[in-house]
mmCIF file of all heavy atoms in Angstrom:
data_model
loop_
_atom_site.group_PDB
_atom_site.id
_atom_site.type_symbol
_atom_site.label_atom_id
_atom_site.label_comp_id
_atom_site.label_asym_id
_atom_site.label_seq_id
_atom_site.Cartn_x
_atom_site.Cartn_y
_atom_site.Cartn_z
ATOM 1 N N ILE W 10 3.620 10.571 -7.060
ATOM 2 C CA ILE W 10 4.480 10.944 -8.209
ATOM 3 C C ILE W 10 3.609 11.275 -9.435
ATOM 4 O O ILE W 10 3.868 12.281 -10.103
ATOM 5 C CB ILE W 10 5.471 9.775 -8.536
ATOM 6 C CG1 ILE W 10 6.483 9.696 -7.426
ATOM 7 C CG2 ILE W 10 6.124 10.090 -9.879
ATOM 8 C CD1 ILE W 10 7.450 8.546 -7.643
ATOM 9 N N GLY W 12 0.532 12.306 -9.458
ATOM 10 C CA GLY W 12 -0.141 13.542 -9.214
ATOM 11 C C GLY W 12 0.721 14.768 -9.508
ATOM 12 O O GLY W 12 0.295 15.758 -10.139
ATOM 13 N N TRP W 15 1.257 15.120 -13.129
ATOM 14 C CA TRP W 15 0.008 15.598 -13.830
ATOM 15 C C TRP W 15 -0.074 17.123 -13.771
ATOM 16 O O TRP W 15 -0.296 17.781 -14.784
ATOM 17 C CB TRP W 15 -1.205 14.981 -13.212
ATOM 18 C CG TRP W 15 -2.469 15.778 -13.417
ATOM 19 C CD1 TRP W 15 -3.233 16.387 -12.501
ATOM 20 C CD2 TRP W 15 -3.089 16.043 -14.671
ATOM 21 N NE1 TRP W 15 -4.286 16.976 -13.093
ATOM 22 C CE2 TRP W 15 -4.235 16.814 -14.413
ATOM 23 C CE3 TRP W 15 -2.840 15.641 -15.987
ATOM 24 C CZ2 TRP W 15 -5.116 17.274 -15.455
ATOM 25 C CZ3 TRP W 15 -3.648 16.086 -16.982
ATOM 26 C CH2 TRP W 15 -4.827 16.809 -16.716
ATOM 27 N N HIS W 19 0.150 19.259 -17.145
ATOM 28 C CA HIS W 19 -1.056 19.954 -17.482
ATOM 29 C C HIS W 19 -0.857 21.460 -17.634
ATOM 30 O O HIS W 19 -1.434 22.109 -18.445
ATOM 31 C CB HIS W 19 -2.179 19.640 -16.507
ATOM 32 C CG HIS W 19 -3.529 20.203 -16.939
ATOM 33 N ND1 HIS W 19 -3.966 21.440 -16.510
ATOM 34 C CD2 HIS W 19 -4.495 19.678 -17.753
ATOM 35 C CE1 HIS W 19 -5.190 21.681 -17.072
ATOM 36 N NE2 HIS W 19 -5.478 20.648 -17.810
ATOM 37 N N LYS W 21 1.825 22.922 -18.567
ATOM 38 C CA LYS W 21 2.553 23.217 -19.797
ATOM 39 C C LYS W 21 1.822 22.835 -21.071
ATOM 40 O O LYS W 21 1.846 23.386 -22.096
ATOM 41 C CB LYS W 21 3.933 22.577 -19.745
ATOM 42 C CG LYS W 21 4.835 23.080 -20.881
ATOM 43 C CD LYS W 21 6.261 22.554 -20.660
ATOM 44 C CE LYS W 21 7.171 23.068 -21.727
ATOM 45 N NZ LYS W 21 8.598 22.641 -21.539
ATOM 46 N N GLU W 37 3.073 0.231 -17.775
ATOM 47 C CA GLU W 37 4.477 0.258 -17.323
ATOM 48 C C GLU W 37 4.608 -0.273 -15.931
ATOM 49 O O GLU W 37 5.552 -0.997 -15.634
ATOM 50 C CB GLU W 37 5.089 1.671 -17.464
ATOM 51 C CG GLU W 37 5.227 2.091 -18.940
ATOM 52 C CD GLU W 37 5.664 3.526 -19.044
ATOM 53 O OE1 GLU W 37 6.072 4.142 -18.014
ATOM 54 O OE2 GLU W 37 5.615 4.047 -20.137
ATOM 55 N N LEU W 41 6.777 -3.541 -14.495
ATOM 56 C CA LEU W 41 7.819 -3.417 -13.563
ATOM 57 C C LEU W 41 7.615 -4.023 -12.183
ATOM 58 O O LEU W 41 8.579 -4.168 -11.428
ATOM 59 C CB LEU W 41 8.116 -1.896 -13.353
ATOM 60 C CG LEU W 41 8.751 -1.148 -14.557
ATOM 61 C CD1 LEU W 41 8.707 0.360 -14.288
ATOM 62 C CD2 LEU W 41 10.194 -1.637 -14.729
ATOM 63 N N ILE W 79 13.002 35.515 17.922
ATOM 64 C CA ILE W 79 13.989 35.969 16.892
ATOM 65 C C ILE W 79 14.987 36.813 17.523
ATOM 66 O O ILE W 79 16.225 36.731 17.321
ATOM 67 C CB ILE W 79 13.291 36.571 15.735
ATOM 68 C CG1 ILE W 79 12.447 35.579 14.948
ATOM 69 C CG2 ILE W 79 14.331 37.254 14.812
ATOM 70 C CD1 ILE W 79 11.591 36.205 13.882
ATOM 71 N N TYR W 100 32.951 49.537 23.245
ATOM 72 C CA TYR W 100 33.163 48.099 23.438
ATOM 73 C C TYR W 100 34.351 47.916 24.367
ATOM 74 O O TYR W 100 35.176 46.995 24.214
ATOM 75 C CB TYR W 100 33.469 47.409 22.100
ATOM 76 C CG TYR W 100 32.976 45.998 21.974
ATOM 77 C CD1 TYR W 100 32.552 45.484 20.786
ATOM 78 C CD2 TYR W 100 32.967 45.150 23.085
ATOM 79 C CE1 TYR W 100 32.117 44.180 20.669
ATOM 80 C CE2 TYR W 100 32.529 43.831 23.029
ATOM 81 C CZ TYR W 100 32.143 43.296 21.757
ATOM 82 O OH TYR W 100 31.678 42.044 21.667
ATOM 83 N N VAL W 111 43.097 44.662 21.595
ATOM 84 C CA VAL W 111 41.803 44.728 20.952
ATOM 85 C C VAL W 111 41.433 43.434 20.264
ATOM 86 O O VAL W 111 40.349 42.888 20.419
ATOM 87 C CB VAL W 111 41.791 45.924 19.899
ATOM 88 C CG1 VAL W 111 40.491 45.903 19.113
ATOM 89 C CG2 VAL W 111 41.937 47.260 20.604
ATOM 90 N N GLY W 127 44.790 59.141 6.616
ATOM 91 C CA GLY W 127 45.923 58.435 6.147
ATOM 92 C C GLY W 127 46.280 57.157 6.920
ATOM 93 O O GLY W 127 47.324 56.571 6.668
ATOM 94 N N LEU W 154 38.170 55.714 16.917
ATOM 95 C CA LEU W 154 37.094 54.734 17.273
ATOM 96 C C LEU W 154 35.792 55.261 16.676
ATOM 97 O O LEU W 154 35.542 56.519 16.742
ATOM 98 C CB LEU W 154 37.026 54.614 18.783
ATOM 99 C CG LEU W 154 38.061 53.751 19.508
ATOM 100 C CD1 LEU W 154 37.976 54.042 20.993
ATOM 101 C CD2 LEU W 154 37.867 52.303 19.219
ATOM 102 N N THR W 156 31.420 53.874 16.383
ATOM 103 C CA THR W 156 30.307 52.914 16.310
ATOM 104 C C THR W 156 29.020 53.591 16.133
ATOM 105 O O THR W 156 28.827 54.787 16.565
ATOM 106 C CB THR W 156 30.264 52.016 17.607
ATOM 107 O OG1 THR W 156 29.368 50.944 17.342
ATOM 108 C CG2 THR W 156 29.820 52.825 18.789
ATOM 109 N N ILE W 161 28.535 52.077 23.320
ATOM 110 C CA ILE W 161 29.158 53.300 23.835
ATOM 111 C C ILE W 161 29.043 53.245 25.399
ATOM 112 O O ILE W 161 27.980 53.002 25.941
ATOM 113 C CB ILE W 161 28.433 54.540 23.266
ATOM 114 C CG1 ILE W 161 28.459 54.600 21.757
ATOM 115 C CG2 ILE W 161 29.057 55.786 23.873
ATOM 116 C CD1 ILE W 161 27.603 55.594 21.116
ATOM 117 N N ASP W 209 42.542 64.571 25.151
ATOM 118 C CA ASP W 209 43.404 64.275 24.018
ATOM 119 C C ASP W 209 42.711 63.788 22.796
ATOM 120 O O ASP W 209 43.378 63.211 21.911
ATOM 121 C CB ASP W 209 44.378 63.148 24.472
ATOM 122 C CG ASP W 209 45.614 63.134 23.557
ATOM 123 O OD1 ASP W 209 46.056 64.155 23.010
ATOM 124 O OD2 ASP W 209 46.220 62.027 23.435
ATOM 125 N N VAL W 214 29.849 63.610 18.343
ATOM 126 C CA VAL W 214 28.625 62.921 18.720
ATOM 127 C C VAL W 214 27.532 63.187 17.666
ATOM 128 O O VAL W 214 27.191 64.348 17.425
ATOM 129 C CB VAL W 214 28.151 63.353 20.126
ATOM 130 C CG1 VAL W 214 26.882 62.623 20.569
ATOM 131 C CG2 VAL W 214 29.213 63.158 21.189
ATOM 132 N N LYS W 221 14.084 61.744 17.993
ATOM 133 C CA LYS W 221 14.057 62.801 18.990
ATOM 134 C C LYS W 221 15.426 63.369 19.355
ATOM 135 O O LYS W 221 15.680 63.705 20.530
ATOM 136 C CB LYS W 221 13.308 62.337 20.274
ATOM 137 C CG LYS W 221 11.859 61.852 20.000
ATOM 138 C CD LYS W 221 11.235 61.389 21.252
ATOM 139 C CE LYS W 221 9.809 61.018 21.012
ATOM 140 N NZ LYS W 221 9.101 60.516 22.248
ATOM 141 N N THR W 261 26.240 51.162 6.295
ATOM 142 C CA THR W 261 24.845 50.889 5.971
ATOM 143 C C THR W 261 24.311 49.613 6.564
ATOM 144 O O THR W 261 23.241 49.511 7.121
ATOM 145 C CB THR W 261 24.718 50.890 4.412
ATOM 146 O OG1 THR W 261 25.100 52.148 3.901
ATOM 147 C CG2 THR W 261 23.231 50.560 4.014
ATOM 148 N N ARG W 265 21.419 48.926 9.362
ATOM 149 C CA ARG W 265 20.288 47.979 9.062
ATOM 150 C C ARG W 265 20.166 46.974 10.250
ATOM 151 O O ARG W 265 19.056 46.734 10.702
ATOM 152 C CB ARG W 265 20.475 47.284 7.723
ATOM 153 C CG ARG W 265 20.253 48.170 6.515
ATOM 154 C CD ARG W 265 20.568 47.467 5.225
ATOM 155 N NE ARG W 265 19.624 46.339 4.933
ATOM 156 C CZ ARG W 265 18.431 46.502 4.345
ATOM 157 N NH1 ARG W 265 18.096 47.658 3.877
ATOM 158 N NH2 ARG W 265 17.689 45.481 4.069
ATOM 159 N N VAL W 266 21.223 46.377 10.604
ATOM 160 C CA VAL W 266 21.157 45.433 11.720
ATOM 161 C C VAL W 266 20.653 46.106 13.044
ATOM 162 O O VAL W 266 19.826 45.497 13.745
ATOM 163 C CB VAL W 266 22.555 44.788 11.987
ATOM 164 C CG1 VAL W 266 22.611 44.017 13.305
ATOM 165 C CG2 VAL W 266 22.892 43.843 10.836
ATOM 166 N N GLY W 281 29.703 49.629 -10.171
ATOM 167 C CA GLY W 281 30.200 50.334 -11.361
ATOM 168 C C GLY W 281 29.233 51.437 -11.817
ATOM 169 O O GLY W 281 29.624 52.545 -12.185
ATOM 170 N N VAL W 292 33.146 65.525 -12.030
ATOM 171 C CA VAL W 292 33.800 66.125 -13.128
ATOM 172 C C VAL W 292 32.985 67.289 -13.772
ATOM 173 O O VAL W 292 33.554 68.279 -14.166
ATOM 174 C CB VAL W 292 34.074 65.036 -14.317
ATOM 175 C CG1 VAL W 292 34.515 65.682 -15.560
ATOM 176 C CG2 VAL W 292 35.099 64.042 -13.802
ATOM 177 N N ASP W 308 17.384 54.401 -15.362
ATOM 178 C CA ASP W 308 17.870 54.332 -16.715
ATOM 179 C C ASP W 308 19.349 53.910 -16.728
ATOM 180 O O ASP W 308 19.718 53.147 -17.618
ATOM 181 C CB ASP W 308 17.791 55.769 -17.362
ATOM 182 C CG ASP W 308 16.364 56.271 -17.519
ATOM 183 O OD1 ASP W 308 15.492 55.434 -17.722
ATOM 184 O OD2 ASP W 308 16.145 57.487 -17.430
ATOM 185 N N HIS W 314 22.684 46.937 -17.991
ATOM 186 C CA HIS W 314 22.143 45.600 -18.031
ATOM 187 C C HIS W 314 21.902 44.956 -16.677
ATOM 188 O O HIS W 314 22.067 43.799 -16.448
ATOM 189 C CB HIS W 314 23.086 44.660 -18.878
ATOM 190 C CG HIS W 314 23.464 45.260 -20.197
ATOM 191 N ND1 HIS W 314 22.553 45.369 -21.238
ATOM 192 C CD2 HIS W 314 24.614 45.741 -20.661
ATOM 193 C CE1 HIS W 314 23.183 45.852 -22.299
ATOM 194 N NE2 HIS W 314 24.443 46.133 -21.962
ATOM 195 N N ASN W 347 15.651 54.310 2.028
ATOM 196 C CA ASN W 347 16.389 53.405 1.175
ATOM 197 C C ASN W 347 17.352 52.493 2.006
ATOM 198 O O ASN W 347 17.479 51.315 1.824
ATOM 199 C CB ASN W 347 17.203 54.171 0.129
ATOM 200 C CG ASN W 347 16.347 54.506 -1.067
ATOM 201 O OD1 ASN W 347 15.336 53.887 -1.330
ATOM 202 N ND2 ASN W 347 16.839 55.498 -1.802
ATOM 203 N N SER W 366 38.977 68.229 -4.049
ATOM 204 C CA SER W 366 39.020 67.118 -3.139
ATOM 205 C C SER W 366 37.820 66.895 -2.341
ATOM 206 O O SER W 366 37.761 66.221 -1.290
ATOM 207 C CB SER W 366 40.185 67.318 -2.116
ATOM 208 O OG SER W 366 41.471 67.332 -2.817
ATOM 209 N N ASN W 373 23.689 52.615 -4.816
ATOM 210 C CA ASN W 373 22.649 52.020 -5.583
ATOM 211 C C ASN W 373 22.176 50.683 -4.959
ATOM 212 O O ASN W 373 22.986 49.788 -4.762
ATOM 213 C CB ASN W 373 23.062 51.773 -7.036
ATOM 214 C CG ASN W 373 23.123 53.045 -7.856
ATOM 215 O OD1 ASN W 373 23.990 53.247 -8.704
ATOM 216 N ND2 ASN W 373 22.129 53.873 -7.690
#
Side-chain angles (χ1 to χ4, degrees):
I10 293 176
W15 159 244
H19 186 267
K21 190 170 183 180
E37 292 177 8
L41 289 169
I79 291 171
Y100 212 149
V111 173
L154 285 164
T156 189
I161 302 167
D209 198 29
V214 180
K221 300 181 179 179
T261 299
R265 285 177 68 87
V266 167
V292 170
D308 295 329
H314 309 290
N347 277 340
S366 297
N373 283 140

